[in-house]
Amino acid sequence: MNQVIQNMEKQREFALTQREFEKLTGLVHSLTGIVLGEHKKDMLYSRLARRLRQLGLQSFSQYCELLDSRQAGEETGFLVNAVTTNLTKFFRESHHFDSLTEHLRSLSMNTERSKINRSIRIWSAGCSSGEEPYSIASVINSSVATLKAWDVKVLATDLDTNMIRTGSEGIYKTNSFEGIEGNYRQILEDNVRRKNDVLHIKEMTKNLVHFKQLNLLHDWPMQRKYDAIFCRNVLIYFDNPTKNSLVQRYANLLQPGGMLFLGHSESLHQKPEELRLIGKTTYIKEEAA
Ligand SMILES: C[S@@+](CC[C@H](N)C(=O)[O-])C[C@H]1O[C@@H](n2cnc3c(N)ncnc32)[C@H](O)[C@@H]1O
């Protein structure tokens, strides 16, 4: 088996030693929280080999030297964009959007809340290319008519600057409809315009969403509490201490009664006391006693 791996490594255009692999994965972990295990070696190689060619470098050792040099700033940004996994789709795990719709309807009909604070804040943390925050905004537009007169904003953040650019443009392929369940197909149809064989998110939907680059490991700029936070299919890339600390920070940022949505394989083994599981990977922050 080792012989097979060695032969594969010999055939590679650029040699990647174990030491260089560990240096790169260590840097990625400290910059992003993303853990790249041994099984990600081919992925790291193929994504960075392209970059080495672009830069005219001969080896990974030269690339590591570049990352150690004064010019590293710009290159670490590239490294970060290269290692993120951005797979996403509109209305992924659609049961979360059923719970969101119910939550928003009940907030908009809560007379106490509407007297003191007619605004709603939702955060899509790790939003990738924007399908998740636009799904949220589409639900707001199409399914919660009672929110029309409210100030509603969806904050969409991601580490990867390429994803933030794509999301801000709000243009998607027509095959984005594939696999969308139930009435969410129609909801998406109502919130896009077809133009030259692509889908443009309608202005009224786009205007609800604000894209910003943000590394979840860094300080967060939010001044006020959130009614719902989506952090789906992001925590799986982190180690347990990073995961636990992030989930506690989400709990702190939620309004009492606010909801946290995680990805389908991200159930919490160690959850903050104030969060209660109310559905599949869906948590609510307990109202203060
Ligand atoms: C698989 S996508 C999930 C997209 C969407 N939430 C969904 O479930 O469809 C994971 C996203 O997390 C982002 N990400 C990874 N580490 C991050 C970090 N430290 N800070 C912010 N975003 C991060 C990646 O750039 C990527 O776009």
Side-chain angles (χ1 to χ4, degrees):
M1 187 65 180
N2 276 347
Q3 190 58 46
V4 175
I5 295 172
Q6 275 169 14
N7 287 343
M8 274 171 60
E9 291 192 352
K10 270 189 217 139
Q11 285 163 16
R12 283 180 167 157
E13 181 182 357
F14 306 103
L16 173 60
T17 64
Q18 187 60 21
R19 208 185 150 102
E20 287 151 6
F21 176 69
E22 283 167 16
K23 181 184 167 69
L24 291 168
T25 53
L27 186 57
V28 165
H29 182 250
S30 66
L31 289 168
T32 68
I34 297 172
V35 178
L36 295 174
E38 202 62 34
H39 63 294
K40 296 283 180 173
K41 204 167 187 171
D42 285 342
M43 179 275 260
L44 186 77
Y45 177 90
S46 63
R47 293 193 187 177
L48 290 181
R50 240 176 291 154
R51 183 61 178 163
L52 264 65
R53 268 175 235 123
Q54 273 173 3
L55 294 170
L57 299 180
Q58 307 301 316
S59 65
F60 272 92
S61 102
Q62 285 183 346
Y63 189 60
C64 290
E65 274 168 32
L66 172 64
L67 289 167
D68 280 336
S69 72
R70 286 203 190 168
Q71 288 86 48
E74 213 173 284
E75 195 51 39
T76 51
F78 184 90
L79 175 69
V80 160
N81 287 356
V83 298
T84 55
T85 299
N86 308 116
L87 186 76
T88 187
K89 63 189 229 75
F90 286 101
F91 294 105
R92 188 178 194 179
E93 295 166 58
S94 63
H95 62 99
H96 284 160
F97 296 92
D98 299 343
S99 308
L100 177 72
T101 307
E102 214 178 290
H103 180 49
L104 294 177
R105 281 188 186 142
S106 99
L107 282 176
S108 67
M109 289 183 306
N110 177 330
T111 40
E112 279 311 303
R113 166 79 180 248
S114 64
K115 266 188 238 155
I116 49 168
N117 175 12
R118 289 169 75 84
S119 69
I120 299 281
R121 292 292 178 271
I122 301 173
W123 181 18
S124 164
C127 64
S128 190
S129 39
E131 287 85 338
E132 180 178 273
Y134 286 133
S135 301
I136 298 169
S138 300
V139 159
I140 293 166
N141 273 338
S142 302
S143 304
V144 201
T146 38
L147 279 182
K148 286 271 184 288
W150 287 51
D151 161 33
V152 184
K153 287 195 174 76
V154 181
L155 173 66
T157 66
D158 201 279
L159 174 69
D160 187 332
T161 49
N162 294 328
M163 293 302 109
I164 293 301
R165 198 173 319 117
T166 307
S168 309
E169 285 166 1
I171 301 172
Y172 298 93
K173 293 188 179 143
T174 43
N175 67 7
S176 303
F177 276 97
E178 279 167 18
I180 299 182
E181 291 163 6
N183 64 337
Y184 291 113
R185 244 184 121 80
Q186 185 56 49
I187 291 181
L188 183 61
E189 194 74 67
D190 294 343
N191 285 273
V192 296
R193 218 181 292 285
R194 288 172 193 268
K195 231 195 236 172
N196 304 331
D197 247 11
V198 286
L199 307 172
H200 290 248
I201 302 291
K202 284 185 181 168
E203 281 307 302
M204 65 172 184
T205 314
K206 227 173 147 187
N207 289 341
L208 291 177
V209 184
H210 300 266
F211 285 91
K212 238 180 164 1
Q213 198 252 358
L214 179 75
N215 185 336
L216 291 169
L217 301 194
H218 294 173
D219 289 340
W220 300 344
M222 297 80 155
Q223 308 280 333
R224 47 164 294 176
K225 302 271 182 185
Y226 275 68
D227 296 290
I229 299 175
F230 284 68
C231 182
R232 307 186 311 158
N233 309 298
V234 179
L235 299 180
I236 32 162
Y237 301 106
F238 299 152
D239 56 24
N240 282 334
T242 311
K243 232 183 260 185
N244 294 340
S245 133
L246 269 178
V247 173
Q248 184 59 61
R249 291 173 76 197
Y250 291 139
N252 299 344
L253 189 70
L254 280 171
Q255 295 267 17
M259 297 185 79
L260 174 66
F261 299 99
L262 303 180
H264 63 283
S265 56
E266 297 172 320
S267 51
L268 297 179
H269 298 296
Q270 192 189 321
K271 69 166 186 59
E273 257 183 14
E274 59 273 47
L275 293 184
R276 181 163 53 87
L277 184 68
I278 56 158
K280 205 171 155 215
T281 53
T282 306
Y283 297 82
I284 192 162
K285 181 171 174 174
E286 303 276 20
E287 306 272 351

